[in-house]
Amino acid sequence: MLRFLTAGESHGQALVTTLDGMPAGLDLDIDALNAQLRRRQGGYGRGRRMAIESDRAEILAGVRHGRTTGAPIALLIRNRDWVNWQQTMHVEREMPEEASGTKRAEVTRPRPGHADLVGAIKYGHEDIRDVLERASARETAARVAAGSLARQLLGRFGIRVASHVSAIGDVVLPAGRTVSFDEANAIAEDAPLRCADTRLQQQMMAFIDTAREAGDTVGGAFEVIATGVPPGLGSYVQWDRKLDGRLAQAVMCIHAIKAVGIGIGPEVAFRPGSRVHDEILPPPSDAHAPLRPTNRAGGLEGGVTNGEDLRVSGFMKPLATLMKPLRSVDLHTLADAPAAIERSDVCAVPAAAVVGEAMVAFVLADAFLEKFGGDSVEEIARHYEATAEQVRRRFTSRTTA
Ligand code: EPS
């Protein structure tokens, strides 16, 4: 229903994305879109590239007078670094005379853990640059642009999305420390690692400094929380309609993410059922839904949202570009050689959290349209209100009976 594709190389001219399936009649806030792009650029541990870029989206299609028309929305984000890369990244067969920047040597020594080796084998590239330019996490800027529009659609119906960083390397929020939506949402945008615990954040920064000095990289974990999510998104009736599966795919496909958790995540395997499942209590007099005293399920039961806050965690491996490189092989000579060193970040977990928000917002918006669908926001609002009223009535009648 809702879908997007991206294109663009890390040091090419621009990133582009087409978001298809957005309903007509949504008032867009372009500043809010660009604020999301800015958020993704931040975080302690980023490299020099982020000082060059200042991401802004240009809307090329699908919006008129500030409102969506129902047509596909085309977005473009220019790479400012392009001026330094034209001699290496030009599209034309011959290098244009006016091409700026310097011509870089071919990349021949794959970095373990990156797409370098498999990409070179799969697509038959001699210069690994043909792989790494597209495998780069730069692409996530386009995802955040698309996701931020999905987020604006959700916002129209009171659904909000936030995130926080819960671990950097082995500096981890204590077990049982639940960060509420409001707490995550209140984290200052200039917080270096967007961690809800400022003391722990200092330790996380020190962990990154140590890795940087050692020529190493670090990973970590983040949690995305969505609040105001109505019950009934997704379904248990078919494997590809289960929302937990769809969310897992959307978060797992963010660069360097190696595991995804819903609610308490992998912890479910180590506890008895009585400390995993969330009890169901009668609706309080001022509410129109049964009370759930805990939310270990992370807002999903049977692959369907249950009205509680949605909680999705992503676990990120350390970045594959090490300044003190691992052993590798030169693909041209097949001799031992240290892996290539490319300019890179030491840690990008806070950025991944923002990308996680975008991907979760996209999946939620898609599921929302599936359930309450319509061609215009007005039509969707009618379906949404009718369903909300039906649920309200169901629990009101039982409470007063
Ligand atoms: C990345 C390497 C670095 C990061 C980049 C992801 O880029 P560069 O080689 O140009 O320094 O900065 O992230 C971004 C450009 C971005 O916008 O997030 C990589 O190899 O994945």
Side-chain angles (χ1 to χ4, degrees):
M1 209 164 258
L2 195 63
R3 52 198 176 143
F4 77 94
L5 289 176
T6 73
E9 280 72 41
S10 178
H11 305 100
Q13 299 179 51
L15 299 164
V16 294
T17 180
T18 304
L19 178 63
D20 185 56
M22 282 287 275
L26 181 68
D27 287 315
L28 289 186
D29 181 341
I30 311 297
D31 292 340
L33 193 174
N34 286 318
Q36 292 300 331
L37 293 177
R38 233 180 352 267
R39 290 178 74 221
R40 193 203 66 90
Q41 286 199 257
Y44 193 73
R46 289 288 240 161
R48 282 173 291 121
R49 174 76 184 273
M50 286 305 103
I52 298 172
E53 302 299 340
S54 172
D55 292 340
R56 288 189 72 75
E58 295 167 38
I59 299 184
L60 305 180
V63 180
R64 189 159 167 257
H65 303 168
R67 290 192 124 194
T68 57
T69 63
I73 300 174
L75 296 152
L76 178 139
I77 302 165
R78 293 182 197 279
N79 289 323
R80 284 184 150 198
D81 209 12
W82 161 241
V83 293
N84 304 314
W85 287 82
Q86 290 178 12
Q87 292 206 9
T88 307
M89 295 298 295
H90 57 87
V91 171
E92 301 80 358
R93 184 175 294 275
E94 304 300 333
M95 188 194 303
E97 263 177 34
E98 68 281 8
S100 56
T102 48
K103 182 153 171 47
R104 265 99 171 159
E106 288 193 350
V107 182
T108 59
R109 293 168 287 125
R111 291 160 294 173
H114 211 282
D116 294 355
L117 176 61
V118 287
I121 295 170
K122 180 175 169 66
Y123 290 96
H125 293 310
E126 290 294 326
D127 182 356
I128 292 171
R129 180 152 304 284
D130 285 322
V131 178
L132 69 89
E133 284 290 334
R134 182 61 187 158
S136 163
R138 174 76 184 142
E139 184 261 355
T140 59
R143 298 195 200 190
V144 169
S148 108
L149 299 189
R151 182 188 196 111
Q152 292 191 26
L153 175 63
L154 295 174
R156 165 70 179 73
F157 295 95
I159 303 171
R160 294 183 297 150
V161 184
S163 69
H164 66 99
V165 169
S166 54
I168 294 290
D170 64 8
V171 186
V172 187
L173 272 184
R177 166 77 164 85
T178 304
V179 175
S180 69
F181 174 85
D182 287 339
E183 204 182 345
N185 199 40
I187 294 173
E189 280 313 333
D190 59 357
L193 287 168
R194 311 196 42 257
C195 176
D197 181 323
T198 48
R199 200 181 47 80
L200 208 65
Q201 185 165 255
Q202 291 300 322
Q203 293 175 34
M204 290 172 165
M205 289 164 74
F207 190 89
I208 293 171
D209 290 340
T210 307
R212 185 190 289 108
E213 281 154 27
D216 217 329
T217 55
V218 301
F222 61 83
E223 186 184 39
V224 177
I225 311 168
T227 198
V229 182
L233 305 188
S235 179
Y236 55 84
V237 302
Q238 196 57 271
W239 68 270
D240 62 350
R241 294 182 59 194
K242 285 178 169 263
L243 199 66
D244 39 13
R246 290 158 64 178
L247 286 162
Q249 198 274 337
V251 174
M252 185 72 109
C253 72
I254 299 169
H255 304 68
I257 301 300
K258 301 306 282 184
V260 177
I262 306 276
I264 60 171
E267 184 64 26
V268 296
F270 315 121
R271 296 186 185 188
S274 56
R275 291 205 297 117
V276 168
H277 302 296
D278 306 300
E279 289 186 303
I280 304 170
L281 306 182
S285 53
D286 59 345
H288 301 287
L291 178 72
R292 310 303 296 268
T294 54
N295 181 23
R296 299 171 188 131
L300 282 159
E301 288 170 303
V304 185
T305 57
N306 63 6
E308 302 294 311
D309 284 355
L310 189 83
R311 291 181 167 269
V312 187
S313 298
F315 298 83
M316 186 177 194
K317 70 179 179 180
L319 302 174
T321 307
L322 274 57
M323 293 304 140
K324 197 171 160 205
L326 295 174
R327 289 182 298 173
S328 184
V329 165
D330 188 311
L331 293 187
H332 287 188
T333 64
L334 298 187
D336 295 331
I341 297 178
E342 289 282 311
R343 180 185 62 187
S344 191
D345 307 318
V346 177
C347 173
V349 179
V354 176
V355 182
E357 288 181 33
M359 295 306 288
V360 167
F362 170 76
V363 172
L364 274 182
D366 185 35
F368 189 91
L369 289 173
E370 226 166 65
K371 171 117 179 102
F372 302 111
D375 295 310
S376 67
V377 169
E378 204 184 311
E379 189 180 359
I380 295 165
R382 280 199 301 276
H383 298 159
Y384 175 80
E385 286 308 331
T387 305
E389 179 54 26
Q390 197 182 325
V391 174
R392 264 197 301 272
R393 253 190 283 130
R394 173 171 190 158
F395 289 109
T396 307
S397 58
R398 302 294 153 92
T399 327
T400 52

